[in-house]
Amino acid sequence: MIRGWYIGSSGMNAQQNRLDAISNNLANVDTAGYKRDVAVSSSFPELLLRRTKADGVYTTSFGSADAAPVIGKLGLGVETNENFTEFEQGSFRATSAATDLALGGEGFFAVETPAGEKYTRNGNFLLGKEGILETKDGYPLLGENGYIHVEDDKFMINEDGMIYSKEGDFIDRVKVVRFDNERYLKKMGNSLWSSNNISGDAYIAEGKERPRMLQGYMETSNVNVVNEMVKMIEVNRAYEANQKTIQSEDSMMSTLWTKVALIR
């Protein structure tokens, strides 16, 4: 019975982690370039149950057989394995602002932060006081030659990321990077991502690996509000089921203790 408490509590913890991921998705439904998280759970190894007081092996005319037949299996609970990010493409929203960019395909913008180079899908950029394209948090957008300096918002960017002034002079090319294992990038908050040993180092996307760049558009989040609300209802029902399991185990244990006390 005590094992039942742990099994039920592990299920409640797993559902709580799922609820945290869903809540974060709903909170960022209007965040440009946000990618939804999914809490992935895995079960603990199952326990094989056999009938007691029948241990050993007996011999038959066809060979040997187990004297303790299998009754069934008992699950030992569940744990949250990882928070998996789905990099599904979000839809495009026209803004008509020259500083807004969107990537049509896999890849990331590179920005310079106090913690080093980080990566984002949020293309809602601004023109800073020094004529540098930067994020809303003030992190400069990187081109392949460094910071991107423009005189005003009359510049043009083609689908390959080439930046031209209003006079048609070439300025720089927007740095778009890819990774060997993008699914293992780590979220840093503020729509930023960082690389690690598993994801591999960033490299500049070229050729077919380079996504199409759209100026005057923003990529919306890939969160579907209806689907997330349905998942939230499922989580609540599963959490209540685990809670009732613990309550039932507690009631049975209380009855057992009472009867044992009466016998003594």
Side-chain angles (χ1 to χ4, degrees), residues 83-96:
N83 281 330
F84 172 72
T85 301
E86 293 189 348
F87 287 98
E88 182 183 16
Q89 177 79 53
S91 59
F92 296 128
R93 178 167 60 87
T95 64
S96 300

Side-chain angles (χ1 to χ4, degrees), residues 153 214 239:
D153 61 354
L214 302 176
Y239 190 92

Side-chain angles (χ1 to χ4, degrees), residues 96-112:
S96 300
T99 55
D100 285 338
L101 304 175
L103 296 177
E106 298 179 351
F108 295 84
F109 298 108
V111 297
E112 184 68 28

Side-chain angles (χ1 to χ4, degrees), residues 27-234:
N28 288 278
V29 67
D30 292 324
T31 301
Y34 176 81
K35 302 302 178 185
R36 66 176 177 268
D37 287 332
V38 178
V40 180
S41 300
S42 61
S43 61
F44 291 126
E46 293 181 332
L47 179 66
L48 188 65
L49 301 182
R50 294 179 180 273
R51 190 175 65 196
T52 59
K53 295 183 180 179
D55 297 334
V57 177
Y58 62 93
T59 303
T60 67
S61 58
F62 301 100
S64 62
D66 195 339
V70 175
I71 298 175
K73 293 183 178 180
L74 175 65
L76 299 180
V78 66
E79 66 173 347
T80 300
N81 190 270
E82 66 171 328
N83 281 330
F84 172 72
T85 301
E86 293 189 348
F87 287 98
E88 182 183 16
Q89 177 79 53
S91 59
F92 296 128
R93 178 167 60 87
T95 64
S96 300
T99 55
D100 285 338
L101 304 175
L103 296 177
E106 298 179 351
F108 295 84
F109 298 108
V111 297
E112 184 68 28
T113 73
E117 185 174 300
K118 303 300 177 186
Y119 313 97
T120 184
R121 290 281 300 191
N122 188 342
N124 183 208
F125 300 111
L126 303 173
L127 186 58
K129 295 181 180 179
E130 299 179 357
I132 299 175
L133 284 179
E134 56 188 32
T135 67
K136 285 188 174 181
D137 298 310
Y139 302 140
L141 172 66
L142 295 178
E144 295 183 358
N145 297 317
Y147 296 169
I148 300 175
H149 295 266
V150 292
E151 295 181 357
D152 49 38
D153 61 354
K154 304 301 181 182
F155 61 91
M156 297 176 58
I157 302 179
N158 63 17
E159 292 186 352
D160 194 44
M162 300 289 189
I163 308 172
Y164 298 91
S165 65
K166 58 184 177 182
E167 290 82 14
D169 298 327
F170 175 73
I171 299 175
D172 200 349
R173 187 190 190 203
V174 178
K175 184 178 181 180
V176 177
V177 301
R178 295 287 304 274
F179 300 87
D180 293 331
N181 296 299
E182 295 177 347
R183 63 160 291 183
Y184 295 107
L185 291 172
K186 182 180 179 182
K187 282 188 175 181
M188 302 298 294
N190 297 324
S191 300
L192 298 178
W193 302 78
S194 67
S195 60
N196 50 58
N197 294 332
I198 305 177
S199 67
D201 295 329
Y203 62 89
I204 297 177
E206 297 288 356
K208 294 183 179 180
E209 284 192 322
R210 188 175 180 88
R212 181 168 56 102
M213 189 170 297
L214 302 176
Q215 185 180 19
Y217 289 84
M218 285 175 53
E219 181 187 6
T220 63
S221 69
N222 63 357
V223 177
N224 186 305
V225 177
V226 176
N227 289 342
E228 296 300 316
M229 293 301 295
V230 171
K231 292 179 182 178
M232 183 175 289
I233 295 173
E234 292 177 353

